[in-house]
Amino acid sequence: MKAIDTLIGALRNASDDDEEVARIRGELIAICSGPQGADARGYVETAARGEILEVQWELEEVVEATTPKPPPAPEPEPEPEPEPEDPNRPLTSADLVKVYDQPGALILHRTKDGNRWFATQADPRTGQPQTFELQPQEIDQVKSQLAGSPYWLLGAAAGS
């Protein structure tokens, strides 16, 4: 490390001579790239902290030039393309949007694409909610019957 101290002292004195600075930097790079490279690099980093700014910059360049580059990060695996939805799979509540909600009487849902509509009403015999799909002609009929109702939900217009 005595050789590094000598070169740093020479670097301090040669701050105006570009050729001399380049030669000293080259010698420091050779030492930091040698068999004791990691130790020499650590010593240069520590010594740089106590030097004037111009010398620090030169020493940082030496450290940067001799620090092994990390291996490139592996490329992330591409995300698998989502499988197309099966049009025949059973619908879930996530597939439906509530468009009308009259408490205790009627709830209307439609699919997100708006092609299919479902009604939920209490079964008169059991009182349990019962959901059934509306036929296309029934959709228009229900929309016209409920057109002025205050139970249409915001963002789910009756004409959707």
Side-chain angles (χ1 to χ4, degrees):
M1 300 307 153
K2 202 174 223 27
I4 293 174
D5 286 333
T6 304
L7 289 170
I8 291 174
L11 188 60
R12 220 178 291 124
N13 296 330
S15 61
D16 292 337
D17 185 1
D18 289 339
E19 288 181 22
E20 182 70 12
V21 169
R23 182 190 63 76
I24 295 169
R25 187 181 332 119
E27 289 183 38
L28 285 169
I29 288 174
I31 293 171
C32 291
S33 298
Q36 300 290 323
D39 292 337
R41 231 181 351 270
Y43 188 81
V44 169
E45 279 183 291
T46 303
R49 293 186 194 120
E51 292 296 328
I52 61 173
L53 203 53
E54 290 83 6
V55 175
Q56 278 185 10
W57 291 338
E58 292 298 331
L59 296 177
E60 286 171 1
E61 284 185 33
V62 169
V63 170
E64 187 176 314
T66 58
T67 300
K69 305 297 181 241
E75 290 189 28
E77 291 188 27
E79 293 183 24
E81 295 197 20
E83 294 182 25
E85 289 190 23
D86 179 7
N88 299 323
R89 71 171 173 75
L91 293 174
T92 65
S93 61
D95 299 322
L96 301 176
V97 177
K98 190 186 297 186
V99 293
Y100 183 88
D101 189 357
Q102 182 178 0
L106 176 67
I107 299 174
L108 294 176
H109 294 88
R110 65 176 168 81
T111 54
K112 290 183 180 177
D113 63 9
N115 292 335
R116 296 170 65 189
W117 285 61
F118 297 85
T120 302
Q121 290 181 307
D123 185 330
R125 294 172 298 210
T126 63
Q128 295 296 315
Q130 182 180 35
T131 301
F132 53 93
E133 185 170 1
L134 298 173
Q135 298 303 314
Q137 64 276 11
E138 293 175 315
I139 296 170
D140 293 333
Q141 181 183 4
V142 168
K143 282 183 187 178
S144 64
Q145 286 176 347
L146 301 174
S149 174
Y151 297 109
W152 288 101
L153 300 178
L154 293 177
S160 296

